[in-house]
Amino acid sequence: MLKFTLLTALYLCFGTLHAQQPASFTLTVTNEKAAPLTEATVELLSNNKLVKAAITDAKGNAVFENIATGSYSFSITLVGYKKQTTALYNFSETNKAMISLQATDKTLEAVTVSSKKPLIQHKEGKTIINVEAAVTNTGTTVLEVLEKSPGVMVDKNGGLSLQGKAGVLVMIDDKPTYLNGADLNNLLSSMSSSQVDEIELMPNPPAKYDASGNAGIINIKTKKNKVKGFNGSVTVAGTQGVYPKNNNSLIINYRSGKFNMFFNYSLNNTKYFTSIYALRKYYNDNNDIIAILDQPTYFTGRVTNHTIKAGIDYNMSPKTTIGIVLGGTRVNRKGKGDATATWLSAAGATDSSIITNSTSGNRYKSETLNGNLRHSINKQQDLALDIDWLNYNIRSEQLFNNRLQANGGYTEAARGNIPTGITILSAKADHALRFGKNSTLQSGFKSSHISTNNIASYQNFDGINWQEDYGRSNHFLYKENINALYSSLQTKYKRISMQAGLRYEATSYQAHQLGNVQQKDSAFSRKYSGLFPSGYITYQVDSSNVLTFTGGRRIDRPPFQTLNPFTSIINKYTYQSGNPFIVPQYSTNMEISHQYKEWLTTTISYSIVKNYFSQIFLNDTIAGLLYYSQGNVGRTHNLGLSSIVMLSPTKWWSFTFQATYNHKELKGFNGDANFKSNINQLNINMSNQFTFAKIYSGELSGFFTSRARNDLQEVLYPTGQLSMGISRPVLKKKGTLKLSFRDVFFTNAMEGFTNFTKATEYFILRRDSRVINIAFTYRFGKAYKTAKRSSGSAGDEMERVGNG
């Protein structure tokens, strides 16, 4: 099977290679006075279909390289100028041309920039998801967008995997969130996708990024409009599933002279449900069933998210820009649950039942502050400085009431108050040096300090008073320092492009668990460091075929809360505990890909992870309790094959199809038991985009995931969903109206099976995923065209400085 897979992959990678002589073409865009125009969008068209796009540089040039010889036309757009489409150019006869744009009125009332981005783009080792390009993303959360993104999978706990590999570093606007597990899930599941411009998926990031993330990086980039003048948009969306939901956003931007200011606000208000069914079976030494625990649970609740982000950039000089960005998020989540745990004999006869009623509250607050500076030293050198301060205040409250339904039954209650404070201070500097014709050397450093203060206070009710439960209560302090240096060289010679980078990271942490009347005070610390190489080499075979090899080494550090040895309550018979002995996991990743023109990309990948993180399940058969934690269980091998097809069969229909196959082998241990498991899993993602009746846009999309495995002892069953949507412009194209229907057949369940020592558990989890959404977006404001001014000898530097 493995041999067949490799032969098939090699055929797909190399079977379509054929020789053509590539051509290059330079189009120069000017105004009516023959002055070059910068930042004009130039689309290269073949038979009115988009082949490539480029942005004009400071000299007004848009350069297209390695294009198959033939006849092409260009479409040029720029705010303040009339759109223009050229006649056909034969690339075998000419390689340059000049086009002049005609200005519109000086002030453009209610300008709408309507050039539509493709849903998925591939650029420099990234897969870019343009969120607004999919109608069915309307009214969703960021987690729901990720769930249907190509190569991304979300497990029942909200954990993310990329291309079949768990361990993803999640960043927002190029900055790590420093959140994991439930805290990250709570943030992404309450964050409105209307705040997001695009999502970058980077399986093998370059050395300038943190080495964290075994599977790579997911970078969520929020909206920031840079159009000159005052402009913005407001979005109102309502969703109805079993329960109603709504999310609304406001985006305002003002750019004039040396200043660029922006303000974003979003409100997400959701009522939700989660239905969980679990069937646990206990076995004796002869593998005979001795008891069965049947556990249906139903949670309902409401979550409200307020997010604000504001910033200002100031051009101090033609070479220097400084900026400041402020952000804040408030999430309130309140819920209640009803569960019944029924004990059955091996024959299925009821022994007893325990009814549990629970309430929970989670308050999440975050404040962020960023100061940045961008300076162009000269034509060859740039310098960027960033300082970030982040503060998280998270408070979780739990209350459980248990009632035994049997003779001599009892009532018991427990409650927990779990406040957590996290403070992060980081600073980094990046330097870029351009030399030769096509070479750039990037170097930099980063230093970050993280401190956490976590209290878990549990109490039991004795029928009269609440009594402290010192056995489960805990106070945990943690401090971590990470210092990093990196250097990366990028160059191009003829048909070969390459990048080679090396990052060094040194980590040290100190942890202190404060004692109480029942538990002793304890402390532990650790220091470690490592080198993390990364890079790629690309060979342009001809105008149609490109080969790329990518490789790198990465690290996953244990989440702060995982190192905390305290125990938290999931339900009466299930507990979760930390593990202070867990150590980082390291991964080595390699892939080779072949791209045919702009429509077919095929990739073979391989990775090995040492000290693999996995859930560890410990079973107390006497008390019927299950404890689960996370630990290092061994290593895993992952062989992957993926193919992406992007086509436009007609003028009104385009589609993207991605299939990712993974063969995974996990080898490890849990206590005295050795485990070995393997699985073949397939993830398919499809999106069809339609245009009809001139003004309507439609979408039919979906995904499917076969049996999958991220943990040594747990397998997930197939899941997927189908969604559809339609949109049209209104109010003279100042507004857009969208209607979407997600998870049409209510198939997006999370179902699986877990093996414990002397126990097994089947589970299925469903959420309010089948919903209808209607949304309205209105764009407002004015934009101004600006006359081309001479920037003197610093013109190139000004282009590189940007706006932070």
Side-chain angles (χ1 to χ4, degrees), residues 29-30 57 60 89 109 165 171 278 307 324 331 521 536 682 703:
V29 182
T30 68
D57 59 20
Y89 293 94
E109 297 290 339
K165 296 179 289 184
M171 307 178 77
T307 298
I324 186 170
V331 180
D521 186 278
Y536 68 81
L682 178 68
F703 71 89

Side-chain angles (χ1 to χ4, degrees), residues 665-668 674-678 712:
E665 292 186 358
L666 296 88
K667 300 177 181 179
N674 291 316
F675 289 88
K676 181 179 179 180
S677 60
N678 61 73
L712 193 64

Side-chain angles (χ1 to χ4, degrees), residues 162 164-169 203-205 211-217 553-557 585-589 607-610 612 636:
L162 182 60
K165 296 179 289 184
V168 179
L169 174 64
N204 288 294
S212 298
N214 159 52
I217 291 175
R553 182 174 185 257
R554 302 190 63 76
I555 182 176
D556 265 332
R557 297 176 179 86
Q585 67 177 9
Y586 295 88
S587 64
T588 301
N589 307 297
S607 69
I608 180 172
V609 183
K610 298 180 180 179
Y612 182 65
T636 180

Side-chain angles (χ1 to χ4, degrees), residues 289 291-292 342-351:
I289 297 175
I292 300 172
T342 303
W343 285 101
L344 307 170
S345 67
T350 301
D351 176 76

Side-chain angles (χ1 to χ4, degrees), residues 364-662:
Y364 169 99
K365 298 179 181 179
S366 70
E367 297 87 27
T368 63
L369 173 63
N370 165 263
N372 59 78
L373 179 145
R374 304 290 182 266
H375 178 65
S376 182
I377 300 171
N378 52 42
K379 290 184 178 182
Q380 287 76 38
Q381 298 185 73
D382 297 331
L383 179 66
L385 302 175
D386 282 270
I387 299 177
D388 291 276
W389 175 82
L390 300 86
N391 186 65
Y392 297 99
N393 191 323
I394 306 166
R395 179 179 293 273
S396 177
E397 297 175 344
Q398 302 173 319
L399 175 63
F400 298 91
N401 284 291
N402 302 312
R403 301 190 307 276
L404 175 62
Q405 306 296 298
N407 292 330
Y410 60 81
T411 298
E412 63 181 14
R415 67 184 183 187
N417 182 20
I418 310 172
T420 300
I422 304 174
T423 301
I424 299 109
L425 181 63
S426 70
K428 70 171 184 174
D430 299 287
H431 175 262
L433 171 65
R434 288 169 292 280
F435 61 95
K437 187 176 180 180
N438 295 302
S439 299
T440 302
L441 178 66
Q442 291 183 312
S443 302
F445 78 89
K446 180 180 178 181
S447 181
S448 60
H449 174 77
I450 303 103
S451 62
T452 72
N453 186 350
N454 180 275
I455 298 174
S457 177
Y458 288 101
Q459 296 177 318
N460 296 319
F461 190 64
D462 62 8
I464 301 175
N465 299 308
W466 288 98
Q467 303 293 333
E468 296 291 336
D469 184 349
Y470 292 107
R472 285 200 294 261
S473 296
N474 173 280
H475 189 179
F476 184 70
L477 303 175
Y478 179 86
K479 293 183 178 180
E480 180 181 87
N481 290 285
I482 302 175
N483 297 299
L485 294 170
Y486 82 89
S487 187
S488 178
L489 174 65
Q490 184 173 355
T491 188
K492 182 178 181 181
Y493 177 72
K494 293 185 178 179
R495 298 188 182 187
I496 297 176
S497 300
M498 64 173 292
Q499 183 186 75
L502 184 64
R503 188 178 183 92
Y504 170 78
E505 292 190 353
T507 306
S508 64
Y509 67 76
Q510 295 179 328
H512 185 192
Q513 179 175 275
L514 280 67
N516 57 40
V517 296
Q518 290 187 18
Q519 300 189 66
K520 293 182 179 180
D521 186 278
S522 62
F524 54 92
S525 62
R526 183 177 175 83
K527 293 183 179 180
Y528 55 90
S529 60
L531 292 172
F532 303 95
S534 63
Y536 68 81
I537 182 168
T538 296
Y539 177 62
Q540 183 86 37
V541 181
D542 52 45
S543 61
S544 300
N545 297 278
V546 180
L547 291 173
T548 302
F549 173 80
T550 306
R553 182 174 185 257
R554 302 190 63 76
I555 182 176
D556 265 332
R557 297 176 179 86
F560 313 133
Q561 294 301 86
T562 300
L563 292 165
N564 186 351
F566 88 103
T567 299
S568 62
I569 302 172
I570 305 301
N571 58 46
K572 181 173 175 61
Y573 296 104
T574 309
Y575 294 83
Q576 181 179 8
S577 63
N579 179 5
F581 304 107
I582 190 170
V583 296
Q585 67 177 9
Y586 295 88
S587 64
T588 301
N589 307 297
M590 296 173 286
E591 68 177 40
I592 183 169
S593 66
H594 165 245
Q595 183 175 354
Y596 177 68
K597 293 186 176 179
E598 297 293 322
W599 66 268
L600 175 63
T601 302
T602 308
T603 303
I604 306 172
S605 63
Y606 173 76
S607 69
I608 180 172
V609 183
K610 298 180 180 179
N611 297 330
Y612 182 65
F613 290 168
S614 179
Q615 289 191 85
I616 296 175
F617 302 93
L618 303 174
N619 180 28
D620 184 344
T621 55
I622 297 176
L625 300 179
L626 174 66
Y627 295 86
Y628 74 89
S629 182
Q630 193 174 57
N632 306 105
V633 297
R635 62 178 58 192
T636 180
H637 302 263
N638 190 328
L639 176 66
L641 172 64
S642 68
S643 185
I644 304 172
V645 178
M646 302 172 64
L647 283 177
S648 296
T650 68
K651 293 182 180 180
W652 52 267
W653 174 33
S654 64
F655 73 85
T656 301
F657 175 88
Q658 175 167 339
T660 302
Y661 162 83
N662 293 97

Side-chain angles (χ1 to χ4, degrees), residues 151-156 159 161 163-166 612 638 660-666 677-684 703-720 749-754 763:
V152 179
M153 190 174 73
V154 182
D155 65 23
K156 72 177 190 299
S161 61
Q163 294 187 351
K165 296 179 289 184
Y612 182 65
N638 190 328
T660 302
Y661 162 83
N662 293 97
H663 174 76
K664 301 170 72 172
E665 292 186 358
L666 296 88
S677 60
N678 61 73
I679 197 164
N680 297 302
Q681 66 186 56
L682 178 68
N683 177 268
I684 296 175
F703 71 89
F704 168 79
T705 302
S706 70
R707 287 169 61 95
R709 184 186 294 273
N710 285 327
D711 292 298
L712 193 64
Q713 296 169 254
E714 185 173 277
V715 63
L716 302 175
Y717 293 161
T719 187
M750 298 183 185
E751 186 178 13
F753 190 80
T754 309
F763 62 86

Side-chain angles (χ1 to χ4, degrees), residues 140-142 190-196 247-249 266-268:
T140 60
T141 66
V142 172
S190 63
M191 183 178 178
S192 173
S193 65
S194 62
Q195 305 172 52
V196 179
N247 63 67
N248 315 293
S249 65
S266 71
L267 167 63
N268 187 8

